Amino acid sequence: MLQILTILMSVFLLNACSTMPSGPSVLVLPGIGKNFDQFHNDDLVCRQLSHTQITTSRQQPDSKEDAQQDYDINYIQCMYGKGHRIPVPDELMYNSRMEEWFPPPPDMPAPPQAAGPEPSLNSLPAKAAKARK
């Protein structure tokens, strides 16, 4: 009985550990003006922070893929916050050419105003109301 319990516990522990990422799956480049030692130290700090965030989260990831995604998001935020560069695929980039809106020239007339509702007979002065009848 003890042997079965030991096997089940080891399987449970191995299964629980299998959802934890071993490291980031994203590319991060040293920031401008950062040397390799700074990059390496920041990398170690951000890996530890990401691992801590995943393991102490109230809601455990459902799968290894979810855990890896959560780890990568924490890692990217940490490294970006420390001044390092994160390459972004082209399909995620916003269109850099934005439409420009210029004000109309000063001599352009104002657009026509929409006609309001006709006044009711009750709102017209008494004389005008009699003239309509």
Side-chain angles (χ1 to χ4, degrees):
M1 182 70 170
L2 183 61
Q3 185 179 14
I4 294 173
L5 184 60
T6 305
I7 292 172
L8 287 176
M9 287 298 289
S10 62
V11 168
F12 175 72
L13 289 174
L14 286 175
N15 189 28
C17 295
S18 68
T19 59
M20 295 310 302
S22 60
S25 66
V26 293
L27 175 66
V28 176
L29 301 171
I32 296 171
K34 301 269 186 174
N35 63 32
F36 182 74
D37 289 333
Q38 289 171 318
F39 178 77
H40 181 68
N41 289 336
D42 291 343
D43 177 63
L44 292 175
V45 168
C46 290
R47 284 174 184 250
Q48 181 63 40
L49 176 72
S50 299
H51 182 75
T52 303
Q53 292 276 339
I54 297 296
T55 56
T56 60
S57 173
R58 290 181 183 214
Q59 183 179 7
Q60 292 296 321
D62 293 334
S63 66
K64 186 171 183 167
E65 290 81 19
D66 289 342
Q68 184 67 54
Q69 184 178 17
D70 292 346
Y71 183 97
D72 288 344
I73 289 170
N74 289 319
Y75 179 76
I76 287 171
Q77 289 174 344
C78 179
M79 290 297 280
Y80 186 78
K82 293 186 176 291
H84 298 288
R85 298 179 292 166
I86 314 297
V88 179
D90 285 341
E91 61 266 9
L92 296 179
M93 294 294 293
Y94 293 109
N95 188 356
S96 60
R97 294 183 306 153
M98 296 183 69
E99 292 183 35
E100 294 183 27
W101 296 91
F102 297 102
D107 57 346
M108 180 177 245
Q113 296 295 322
E118 282 192 34
S120 68
L121 290 177
N122 294 338
S123 65
L124 295 175
K127 215 179 212 184
K130 287 181 183 177
R132 281 192 149 190
K133 287 185 181 180

